[in-house]
Amino acid sequence: MSDHAKTITVLYFAAASTATGITSEEVPIPESGLKLLGLTELLVSRHPNVGLKEIIDASQWSVDLEMVDDPETILLKGGEEVAVICPVSGG
């Protein structure tokens, strides 16, 4: 096992990208892994006071290009690409 912290790549789209001011970032996660459900809190702590929690709460997650139905069942182990998919409004 390496001494490097495990990381995931988080991709931000639409409102999430606007709120954070970035489109992607490398996010360190604990060696033991991180439940996808816990990622919201981690990302909000990295980007406080921009309304990110509300955006994520209204969004869906995608992990390695697969939409996630139940974030509670997903354990991130490092190396994953996680996207915050904001709702698309039609007119």
Side-chain angles (χ1 to χ4, degrees):
M1 205 80 192
S2 75
D3 290 337
H4 297 299
K6 295 180 174 185
T7 62
I8 56 171
T9 301
V10 179
L11 306 178
Y12 298 103
F13 295 100
S17 172
T18 302
T20 59
I22 54 178
T23 55
S24 72
E25 68 176 327
E26 294 289 316
V27 177
I29 63 169
E31 277 293 321
S32 56
L34 178 70
K35 281 212 166 176
L36 183 54
L37 209 56
L39 186 56
T40 300
E41 201 175 299
L42 180 61
L43 296 178
V44 169
S45 73
R46 292 172 66 93
H47 303 280
N49 309 318
V50 295
L52 189 58
K53 180 173 177 10
E54 292 73 19
I55 293 166
I56 291 174
D57 286 349
S59 301
Q60 272 194 290
W61 293 107
S62 142
V63 176
D64 292 335
L65 303 178
E66 298 274 331
M67 293 307 290
V68 173
D69 293 325
D70 187 0
E72 205 166 311
T73 64
I74 305 293
L75 180 68
L76 302 169
K77 298 178 179 98
E80 294 91 350
E81 183 178 81
V82 180
V84 179
I85 311 289
C86 296
V88 177
S89 56

